C-alpha cells in the first residue's frame, strides 16, 4: 500500500459496554435488558477500522491506558491491519469507557462517555508521530481527544499537503484556529446547529454555510436516514442515504467518516467520497454491532455501491 492511500486517525480508543433493551429507558426508569456485550470502541478507533476495512493503509495515533483492557483493544486494531506504532501506551491509566444503551425496537442509542487516557493525548505525543503524519494523504480527528493535540496534528498535516478531516463530535466548542486548519468539517444536524450558534428553527443549510465561512472548504452534515448535506464553493447538494432497516445505529457516523477518509486518500472527488462513506454506513447499520458491523470494500455490492 502506498503512502498516497494512507490515512492517519488521531483519536480515542475505548472499551464499549453495550446494554440492549427493547427501548431506551425514561429518566429514573429501570428496564430489564435483552443482552450485554463489551467491545472495542471509541470514535477514533471506529473510524480507523472503517477506513482500514475499506482499503486504506491506516495509522492510529492515540494515548491508551493499558492498566485494564488497553492491550486487548490494541490487539484488536492490529488484527485489522492498523499500524499502532504511533500509539502511546500508559501502564498507569485506564482507557476510555463508553456505556451505551441500545434500543432493539429502532436501533436508537444513548451514550455516557468517560475519556480515561484519551484525555491525556498531548501535542508532544503528536509531535513524536510527525513522520507518520507527514506520510499521510488524509489526517482525521474527532473531539474525544484534546484540541491542542488535534491542532498540532493538523498543522503538521497541512504543512505536508495532507487533507484534514475534523469530525466535530461530541458537540464541544471548536476554536477558530482549528476550524481554519480543517479542510473538511463533518457534523450531524444537532452539532451543526450548535456550532453555528443557531436556534432550533435555523435551517441546516444556513448552519452549513455559516460553518464553511469559518474555514473548512467542505462541510458535511449527516442527516441520518435523510442522507447528508454537502456544502462547498460549488454550492449545496443533498446526497440521499440508501434505504435500509436499521438494526444498530451506534457506529453509523464513524463508518461514514472512515469511508470518506479512505475515498479521499484514493483521490476521489468530494461527492464520490461522501457516497462511499454513505454506502458503508448503510450496510453497517443494517446489522448488529459497531466495529463488527463495518463492511469491507468487497461487501459493497450493487445494493450498496456508491452511486
Amino acid at each position: 500500500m502506498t503512502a498516497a492511500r494512507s490515512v492517519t486517525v488521531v483519536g480515542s480508543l475505548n472499551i464499549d459496554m453495550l446494554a440492549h433493551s427493547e427501548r431506551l429507558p425514561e429518566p429514573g426508569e429501570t428496564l430489564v435488558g435483552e443482552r450485554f456485550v463489551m467491545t472495542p470502541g471509541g470514535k477514533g478507533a471506529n473510524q480507523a477500522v472503517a477506513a482500514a476495512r475499506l482499503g486504506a493503509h491506516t495509522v492510529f495515533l492515540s494515548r491508551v491506558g493499558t492498566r485494564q483492557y488497553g492491550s486487548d483493544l490494541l490487539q484488536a486494531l492490529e488484527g485489522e491491519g492498523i499500524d499502532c506504532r504511533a500509539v502511546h501506551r500508559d501502564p498507569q491509566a485506564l482507557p476510555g469507557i463508553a456505556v451505551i444503551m441500545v434500543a432493539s425496537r429502532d436501533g436508537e442509542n444513548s451514550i455516557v462517555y468517560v475519556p480515561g487516557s484519551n484525555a491525556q493525548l498531548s501535542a508532544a505525543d503528536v509531535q513524536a508521530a510527525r513522520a507518520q503524519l507527514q506520510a499521510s494523504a488524509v489526517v482525521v480527528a474527532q473531539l474525544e481527544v484534546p484540541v491542542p493535540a488535534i491542532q498540532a496534528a493538523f498543522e503538521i498535516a497541512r504543512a505536508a499537503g495532507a487533507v484534514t478531516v475534523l469530525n466535530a463530535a461530541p458537540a464541544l466548542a471548536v476554536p477558530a484556529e482549528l476550524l481554519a486548519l480543517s479542510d473538511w468539517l463533518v457534523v450531524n444536524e444537532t452539532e451543526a446547529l450548535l456550532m453555528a450558534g443557531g436556534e432550533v428553527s435555523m435551517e441546516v443549510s444556513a448552519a452549513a454555510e455559516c460553518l464553511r465561512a469559518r474555514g473548512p472548504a467542505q462541510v458535511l452534515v449527516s442527516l441520518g436516514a435523510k442522507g447528508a448535506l454537502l456544502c462547498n464553493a460549488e454550492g449545496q447538494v443533498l446526497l440521499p442515504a440508501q434505504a435500509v432497516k436499521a438494526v444498530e445505529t451506534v457506529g453509523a457516523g464513524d463508518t461514514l467518516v472512515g469511508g470518506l477518509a479512505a475515498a479521499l486518500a484514493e483521490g476521489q472527488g468530494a461527492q464520490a467520497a461522501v457516497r462511499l462513506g454513505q454506502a458503508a454506513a448503510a450496510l453497517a447499520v443494517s446489522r448488529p454491532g459497531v466495529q463488527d458491523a463495518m463492511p469491507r470494500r468487497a461487501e459493497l455490492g450493487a445494493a450498496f455501491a456508491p452511486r
Side-chain angles (χ1 to χ4, degrees), residues 9 33 50-51 59 64 75-76 78 80 83 85 115 128 136 141 159 180 183 197 217 250 273-274 286 294-295 299:
V9 179
V59 175
V64 177
Q75 286 178 10
E78 290 167 344
E80 296 286 347
D83 185 344
R85 289 175 294 176
S136 300
D183 295 309
V250 176
V274 174
S286 71
M294 292 175 175
E299 293 181 85

Side-chain angles (χ1 to χ4, degrees), residues 95-301:
I97 295 174
V99 180
I100 305 170
M101 293 181 291
V102 181
S104 58
R105 177 188 298 172
D106 53 15
E108 289 301 315
N109 65 85
S110 61
I111 303 172
V112 175
Y113 167 62
V114 181
S117 54
N118 295 312
Q120 304 306 314
L121 183 68
S122 68
D125 294 333
V126 169
Q127 292 290 345
R130 176 179 288 271
Q132 288 94 332
L133 290 164
Q134 290 174 329
S136 300
V138 179
V139 175
V140 182
Q142 327 75 39
L143 298 180
E144 288 185 343
V145 295
V147 166
I150 299 171
Q151 190 161 327
F154 279 16
E155 287 171 352
I156 295 170
R158 270 288 188 83
V163 175
T164 54
V165 179
L166 178 65
N167 176 210
L172 302 172
V174 179
E177 296 82 2
L178 181 56
L179 281 179
L181 287 167
S182 304
D183 295 309
W184 281 77
L185 175 66
V186 184
V187 288
N188 64 26
E189 187 171 357
T190 300
E191 292 155 355
L193 293 172
L194 286 171
M195 287 185 68
E199 302 297 327
V200 174
S201 60
M202 184 181 190
E203 293 288 339
V204 175
S205 57
E209 287 291 357
C210 176
L211 294 173
R212 193 175 75 84
R214 298 180 190 176
Q218 310 277 350
V219 174
L220 181 65
V221 184
S222 59
L223 303 171
K226 293 182 289 185
L229 179 68
L230 176 63
C231 176
N232 55 30
E234 298 175 1
Q236 295 190 358
V237 59
L238 178 63
L239 301 173
Q242 285 90 342
V244 297
K245 177 176 174 54
V247 173
E248 194 162 314
T249 62
V250 176
D254 293 334
T255 307
L256 171 65
V257 173
L260 172 72
L264 290 174
E266 295 173 359
Q268 295 193 35
Q271 290 192 31
V274 174
R275 287 185 177 121
L276 177 65
Q278 287 181 299
L283 185 51
V285 302
S286 71
R287 50 198 190 186
V290 181
Q291 291 182 12
D292 287 345
M294 292 175 175
R296 301 186 185 279
R297 193 63 165 261
E299 293 181 85
L300 299 184

